[in-house]
Amino acid sequence: MAKMQAVTIATPVNGEVIPLKAVKDPVFSAGMMGLGFGVQPSDGKIVAPVSGKVTMVAETKHALGFATPDNNLEVLVHLGIDTVELKGKPFDLKVGVGDEVQTGDVIATMDLAAIKAANKQQTVILAVTNSSDKLESLDVHDGTATAGTEVATGRLNANTFNAKRKGKLPKEGKYDQLATDIIKNVGGVENISSLIHCITRLRFYLKDESKANDDVVANLKGVIDVAKAGGQYQVIIGPAVTDVYDAVIKQIGPELSNDAETAKAVAETTAAANRPTTTWGKIKWALSSLIGVITGSMIPVIGLLAASGILKGVLALLTTFKLVSTTDTTYVIINAMGDSVFYFLPIFVGFTAGKKLGADPVIMGIIGGVLTYPALVTMASGKAIGSVLGMSINATFFGLPVHMASYTYSIFPMIAGAWLASKLEPWLKRVIPTVLRMIFVPLFEVIIVSGVIILFLGPIITMISTGLANAIVWIYNLSPSISGLIIGGFYQVLVIFGLHWAVVPIVANDIASTGHSYLNAIISATMVAQGGAVMAIALKSKLANIKELAWPATISAFSGVTEPAMYGINLKYGRAFVTASIGAAVGGFLTGLMRVNMWGFTGSLIGFTSFVNPKGMDFSFWGFWIASIVTVIVSFTLTWMFGFKDEDVNAVKTAPKKRHLGETA
């Protein structure tokens, strides 16, 4: 095997050579600009670190680029940190683009005193910007060194070495001139606030867009067109955008880049580019996006939900075996520990959904607080003063009749509210003067979003869920087994959108009036099914992070709390929710067929005593176990075979997370 050729790089200035990670600039120190080193200069004479051609000179003179002729290394010399803001005043350049230099030739001087007086770092940074393509490694010799002496040794990677040996090295630096022309015609470095890119466009934030010469930029060779949107000056490049972006950043300085916003823009525009065009494809895309938002908003609190579910299961056992009475203060305290995360869920979901959808998370948390405010919760459960379209009217707002719904335990209204806030907030910031934004943006946002949820969204959800509840009762009366099949298969879908709450009063009324509920027994089977599916994933997956979430979610589901299993695993990875729902349909069918009855509220496996008839044990108890065991077997087996594989985790990680409607690549 041929020995890889070594390359050498000299220090560009007298001083103390330091590792790149010690440089006080996160872009360079993290290696984002490539391998290299820093130098704390002892004087201001700058020399060429390599022999080759000058390929780039920054307009503000703070950076120079070189390309070596024998192996096409791209070497950047950056004079100081954040010195782009000094607009070239401390620098005197001796070379220009196209000049040939030899290692040690004087190429510039820098006024160290002026840089210090401007409160900027004097560190000279050298980076091989194409090192990821060219170098296997770069060994740097720290310590005091004289300008022009070798301080770093690297090895060409196999691809570059072999290409060089065959005389087929690709041309490098081909976008430097285009970058220079773009910078000049958007108004120069001094007119650029920052730069990001997406999958096809450079996105400049300019201080004054009127200084940009649109016609010249649009007609540059390598530029497709110019667009202006969202406060950005967008230069459409096409597939080569990352190369052009790198060339521009080399000239304007990494301090004007924003990696987080670039990653966000790439994700959004990738989603836009991949959006399907067929009707069925659009429906699938919309559903997938909705599920992504729901699960993404829930993930930060899944661990709490699982822990609370387990605690609620323990409390159910304590009360079942008469160790604690529901009237004891011990019960009240433990119940508060287990129930608080569910009771105040709108606050947590508001915060996480706000972060997910681009709304202010603190404001969304406050809106969640409005919905769980004790007086409003009391109002929701208060006496009705009338009814409209089957909805009870229990409040008035400026004299208008209002149905006040209960939002504790709810998820979907807050996600819808966060989406509305993400659209409302930018508009408010545009129309409200800067000096008033701190007070009036949150004021109007809380009023408008809370009002929309309370006055419109809540009543709409209640009306739909009431209609569904009436349909469920009608189906059950028609045929217990068919209703068990339908309710079992779709009940957890209702849970996702908060439409199941109209079913809960039916169950409560059944138990209060007759002492039992056939419907609640079917609902119990859906909990068991979610637990069986997530248990299959816990056993099948070899990923530690999945197992760590799946096992607590399994225990929680079998304790009657399905949210961790559903939002944390099953719904997130799609097919597992379907296989769990099939298992629930089978369990519901058997529960209805065997006329399994239930005398308590607590369901799933933890609630087995709820299936004991107070008048004496009957077949309901054994029917519960038969239906539950079959449900676990079906949901477990289908999930193991068809519902999940570890590759699904990577697929979800790399899938686009969010996209604004109307955005193009």
Side-chain angles (χ1 to χ4, degrees), residues 187-206:
V189 177
E190 65 274 7
N191 193 39
I192 301 172
S193 294
S194 65
L195 171 65
I196 65 175
H197 75 82
C198 57
I199 60 172
T200 59
R201 307 181 183 202
L202 299 177
R203 299 185 176 199
F204 289 93
Y205 289 90
L206 301 180

Side-chain angles (χ1 to χ4, degrees), residues 249-415:
I249 288 297
K250 275 199 305 183
Q251 298 188 35
I252 67 176
E255 57 269 25
L256 296 183
S257 66
N258 188 324
D259 294 320
E261 286 300 313
T262 290
K264 182 178 176 182
V266 169
E268 290 174 354
T269 51
T270 299
N274 292 334
R275 186 175 182 180
T277 56
T278 65
T279 301
W280 176 240
K282 289 179 180 178
I283 293 173
K284 288 172 63 180
W285 177 87
L287 183 60
S288 176
S289 298
L290 176 61
I291 290 174
V293 171
I294 292 173
T295 56
S297 300
M298 292 297 294
I299 284 296
V301 295
I302 287 297
L304 279 172
L305 293 175
S308 297
I310 294 170
L311 186 56
K312 287 168 75 70
V314 171
L315 189 61
L317 287 176
L318 291 175
T319 55
T320 295
F321 293 103
K322 311 300 183 183
L323 297 175
V324 174
S325 168
T326 56
T327 59
D328 290 347
T329 54
T330 301
Y331 175 90
V332 174
I333 293 170
I334 297 176
N335 189 53
M337 295 176 184
D339 209 37
S340 61
V341 68
F342 295 96
Y343 190 89
F344 297 109
L345 195 57
I347 297 175
F348 306 128
V349 173
F351 186 89
T352 57
K355 292 181 68 175
K356 180 77 176 175
L357 291 168
D360 188 312
V362 174
I363 293 177
M364 286 309 304
I366 295 298
I367 293 170
V370 172
L371 301 185
T372 55
Y373 192 73
L376 296 190
V377 174
T378 302
M379 190 183 299
S381 59
K383 184 178 180 181
I385 58 177
S387 66
V388 175
L389 297 175
M391 293 185 301
S392 63
I393 301 302
N394 49 14
T396 59
F397 187 73
F398 287 108
L400 296 174
V402 174
H403 169 76
M404 180 62 67
S406 176
Y407 296 97
T408 58
Y409 288 72
S410 64
I411 296 167
F412 188 72
M414 289 308 304
I415 292 175

Side-chain angles (χ1 to χ4, degrees), residues 223-264:
V223 173
I224 298 173
D225 203 354
V226 167
K228 299 176 184 179
Q232 300 171 343
Y233 188 88
Q234 301 181 0
V235 182
I236 305 171
I237 302 295
V241 66
T242 55
D243 295 321
V244 179
Y245 172 82
D246 290 341
V248 173
I249 288 297
K250 275 199 305 183
Q251 298 188 35
I252 67 176
E255 57 269 25
L256 296 183
S257 66
N258 188 324
D259 294 320
E261 286 300 313
T262 290
K264 182 178 176 182

Side-chain angles (χ1 to χ4, degrees), residues 636-648:
F636 182 97
T637 303
L638 290 177
T639 304
W640 184 284
M641 295 176 64
F642 310 110
F644 178 84
K645 55 183 183 294
D646 282 340
E647 289 80 359
D648 295 337

Side-chain angles (χ1 to χ4, degrees), residues 9-10 34 42 52 122 158 162 188 221 250 264 291 311 357 396-397 451 469 500 520 532 563 570 633:
I9 300 175
S42 56
Q122 301 169 332
N162 291 330
K221 185 177 180 180
K250 275 199 305 183
K264 182 178 176 182
I291 290 174
L311 186 56
L357 291 168
T396 59
F397 187 73
H500 66 298
N520 204 27
E563 281 85 351
N570 296 347
I633 291 173

